[in-house]
């Protein structure tokens, strides 16, 4: 067999390999596009309201703060405060607080169907249901101004807890009834501060 024949065969094999790789890449691209097209998506956007879960027997209306398309998650906060409760007896550390345990424990007043519960993203630091931090509450992408941060409890403007520590060991930060963030905070044992839960969900 001549060298020319060997060369032609080698070229043919090389071209066949290139063709196979090209076809595989094409199929892979089409598969990725199909998966992305069929990926579950949210039917709402930031600023919308959304009903999800119940507080005792009443449906909860949430305000959509963010739709994170990269991680396919949405951040929700209750439109109105659900109840008033102390942050803790003495600690202003969120993971150790009574309110953290109350919201995320078996006796939580917030209930979800099995399908809804499966959509909730559990953050290792914040938990499943949490309070916003001062950074989150001051994020202009979430709240345009103080008015947007205002919250009602039983029809009246209220103070609501944040999970960030306040100015001393037994104070936690709050949002005032006028929507301003109070970094000094209030005494954690104050039972008259409202609870406005937040959570991340998947579609």
């Amino acid at each position: 067999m001549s060298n020319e024949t060997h060369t032609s065969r080698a070229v043919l094999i090389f071209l066949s390999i290139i063709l196979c790789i090209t076809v595989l890449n094409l199929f892979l691209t089409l598969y990725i596009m199909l998966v992305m097209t069929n990926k579950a998506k949210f039917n709402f956007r930031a600023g919308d309201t959304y009903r999800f879960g119940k507080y005792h027997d009443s449906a909860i209306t949430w305000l959509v703060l963010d739709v994170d398309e990269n991680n396919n998650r949405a951040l929700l906060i209750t439109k109105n405060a659900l109840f008033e409760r102390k942050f803790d007896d003495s600690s202003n550390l969120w993971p150790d607080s009574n309110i953290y345990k109350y919201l995320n424990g078996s006796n939580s007043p917030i209930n979800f169907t099995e399908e809804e519960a499966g959509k909730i993203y559990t953050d290792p630091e914040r938990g499943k249901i949490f309070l916003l931090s001062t950074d989150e509450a001051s994020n202009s992408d979430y709240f345009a101004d103080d008015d947007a941060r205002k919250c009602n409890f039983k029809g009246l403007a209220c103070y609501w807890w944040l999970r960030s520590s306040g100015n001393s060991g037994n104070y936690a930060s709050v949002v005032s009834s006028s929507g301003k963030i109070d970094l000094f905070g209030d005494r954690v044992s104050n039972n008259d501060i409202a609870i406005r839960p937040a959570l991340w969900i998947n579609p």
Side-chain angles (χ1 to χ4, degrees):
M1 189 176 294
S2 66
N3 288 337
E4 186 175 324
T5 302
H6 277 299
T7 301
S8 298
R9 179 173 293 177
V11 170
L12 183 61
I13 292 173
F14 176 76
L15 291 175
S16 298
I17 292 172
I18 294 298
L19 179 61
C20 288
I21 292 174
T22 302
V23 171
L24 284 173
N25 282 334
L26 178 60
F27 275 112
L28 180 60
T29 301
L30 289 173
Y31 174 76
I32 292 173
M33 291 176 62
L34 182 64
V35 170
M36 292 298 292
T37 301
N38 292 331
K39 184 173 69 173
K41 295 182 179 179
F42 294 106
N43 60 355
F44 53 67
R45 58 186 178 181
D48 288 348
T49 55
Y50 181 66
R51 285 198 167 190
F52 187 78
K54 291 184 176 182
Y55 173 62
H56 295 304
D57 294 323
S58 300
I60 302 174
T61 299
W62 304 78
L63 175 65
V64 181
L65 295 182
D66 183 30
V67 176
D68 182 351
E69 294 182 354
N70 292 329
N71 294 304
N72 208 27
R73 293 198 297 263
L75 177 60
L76 313 180
I77 188 171
T78 56
K79 183 179 179 181
N80 297 308
L82 298 185
F83 54 93
E84 293 178 331
R85 190 178 176 92
K86 62 185 176 182
F87 188 92
D88 192 77
D89 291 322
S90 58
S91 174
N92 65 359
L93 300 178
W94 168 245
D96 299 330
S97 67
N98 288 338
I99 190 59
Y100 170 90
K101 296 169 186 174
Y102 184 62
L103 290 174
N104 290 278
S106 58
N107 294 323
S108 174
I110 303 175
N111 305 298
F112 303 99
T113 65
E114 185 175 347
E115 180 181 359
E116 289 172 336
K119 294 181 178 182
I120 300 174
Y121 172 75
T122 301
D123 186 279
E125 294 182 3
R126 288 176 286 203
K128 180 186 294 185
I129 305 174
F130 54 91
L131 306 179
L132 294 186
S133 66
T134 52
D135 286 342
E136 289 163 340
S138 62
N139 188 333
S140 60
D141 290 332
Y142 297 168
F143 303 100
D145 49 31
D146 291 347
D147 280 341
R149 265 189 300 272
K150 287 181 182 178
C151 176
N152 289 340
F153 176 63
K154 295 184 176 180
L156 299 175
C158 64
Y159 278 68
W160 49 284
W161 288 115
L162 299 174
R163 71 174 187 272
S164 301
S165 299
N167 200 44
S168 67
N170 61 351
Y171 276 65
S173 297
V174 297
V175 175
S176 73
S177 57
S178 62
K180 295 186 181 298
I181 298 173
D182 183 350
L183 298 177
F184 186 89
D186 208 310
R187 193 177 296 274
V188 294
S189 57
N190 189 340
N191 278 300
D192 297 325
I193 308 293
I195 303 298
R196 195 179 184 187
L199 46 75
W200 285 95
I201 63 169
N202 301 113

